[in-house]
Amino acid sequence: MSKKQVAVVMGGYSDEYVVSLKSGQLIYDSLDRELYDVYKVVILKDEWYFLGENDTKYEINKGDFSVTLDNNQTLKFDVCFNIIHGTPGENGILQAYWDAIGQKYTGCDFYQSALTFNKKDTLAVLSKYGIPSAKSVYLRKGEDINVDEIIENLGLPVFVKPNQSGSSLGISKVKEKSELLAATEVAFKEDDEILIESFLDGMEVSVGVIDYKGETIVLGITEIVPQNEFFDYEAKYEGASEEITPARIDDETRIRVEEISKRAYNSLGMSGFSRSEFILMNGIPYMLEMNTNPGFSPASILPQQAKIYGISITDLCGNEVEKALSKKNK
């Protein structure tokens, strides 16, 4: 049997591309070479390329996502392993393009990617399935901001965040009414839509959910203990937080978190890796957001959870490739 050609697609257009390159490297290193020929493809704003031997760059032909090599041979991929964090790989843009040219890829489809990248819409859909979230106010750039009304509605402190989920850039915790307008300006630098959310005073947990061998499973529940005020970019990527897996919660709470995390995943029709963030308050998980292409560098939460769960990274990644191969072309 000939080996399948797998492109690990990494990079992206946001500041998170640095993390994506590390995630891509782990997947590249972990895929079983007896089953697959594995290639590195990097997608950046100004260039899309395949990384050949001795780090030679070959341009990707965007018409069919193929590569023309030195000997005029064409390299086509059976599967793209998508591990781009942020745009265009986590918000549906790349998925829609791959669907249009008939290229198979791992993870969730265009719609799920676009939906989960939008915090407001995700939480609105999930509320229909009985999954609670913080009280919030949604604002578009240019709208009048009635500070008194917002504080009266949500109380203090509040979180101000860009609506499009990325890497926690542009988020502020506001404790004084006088700080609210400045915080909205910081968030509007990252996105044209922002959310102001009531503060949930509880434990933050990060829950890895995947579909593995035909079953939705919770890989693990990790407790986030930020050294900063909250789990921001620095805490997430520069180690300014303590991550404890499994989280220090009683069985009853654990079962509730697992049940709600699976329900969120299945309700959205998800596939592939996901990591959902919740705040546990009085034993109730309130959902903050879902990431459909979470960090996958060796230091990231999902690989750590898999290790504790007992699934090897090789099996985890192989399962993704096999699922993508068996998908019907759109």
Side-chain angles (χ1 to χ4, degrees), residues 99-293:
D99 284 345
I101 61 166
Q103 171 67 58
K104 291 183 175 179
Y105 54 89
T106 61
C108 58
D109 288 349
F110 150 74
Y111 175 71
Q112 280 76 10
S113 306
L115 173 64
T116 50
F117 207 70
N118 184 312
K119 296 187 182 81
K120 169 183 71 87
D121 291 353
T122 306
L123 298 173
V125 169
L126 289 176
S127 72
K128 306 272 190 288
Y129 293 93
I131 293 168
S133 56
K135 276 178 74 173
S136 63
V137 169
Y138 164 78
L139 295 170
R140 295 188 87 98
K141 204 173 242 172
E143 279 182 343
D144 288 337
I145 301 175
N146 185 329
V147 174
D148 291 337
E149 196 179 299
I150 290 168
I151 301 300
E152 198 177 311
N153 186 2
L154 302 179
L156 278 169
V158 291
F159 278 114
V160 180
K161 45 176 95 163
N163 183 42
Q164 297 286 329
S165 67
S167 54
S168 314
L169 294 168
I171 301 186
S172 317
K173 183 178 181 181
V174 172
K175 299 174 185 170
E176 303 290 333
K177 193 154 120 178
S178 58
E179 298 166 0
L180 186 69
L181 281 175
T184 63
E185 283 170 24
V186 171
F188 275 132
K189 282 202 180 81
E190 299 294 327
D191 190 13
D192 291 344
E193 311 165 27
I194 65 169
L195 283 179
I196 303 173
E197 290 182 340
S198 64
F199 174 63
L200 298 169
D201 193 7
M203 177 195 290
E204 176 159 0
V205 293
S206 195
V207 187
V209 183
I210 60 166
D211 50 341
Y212 185 72
K213 299 190 171 168
E215 195 187 345
T216 301
I217 59 171
V218 173
L219 269 185
I221 302 172
T222 297
E223 177 183 343
I224 308 291
V225 187
Q227 288 155 10
N228 302 6
E229 282 264 0
F230 60 97
F231 194 39
D232 60 5
Y233 185 86
E234 188 191 350
K236 207 176 257 187
Y237 294 127
E238 293 166 18
S241 72
E242 193 185 349
E243 294 158 11
I244 300 165
T245 311
R248 296 168 295 184
I249 50 180
D250 59 54
D251 274 352
E252 193 184 345
T253 308
R254 175 183 60 79
I255 290 163
R256 194 177 293 135
V257 172
E258 287 177 353
E259 194 267 316
I260 277 195
S261 303
K262 279 192 209 171
R263 194 191 321 158
Y265 187 94
N266 293 333
S267 302
L268 294 173
M270 278 293 304
S271 175
F273 298 161
S274 80
R275 203 189 65 220
S276 295
E277 320 296 338
F278 294 91
I279 300 280
L280 303 182
M281 207 162 70
N282 308 323
I284 309 236
Y286 290 83
M287 186 152 190
L288 298 176
E289 62 173 295
M290 186 186 284
N291 300 292
T292 58
N293 245 349

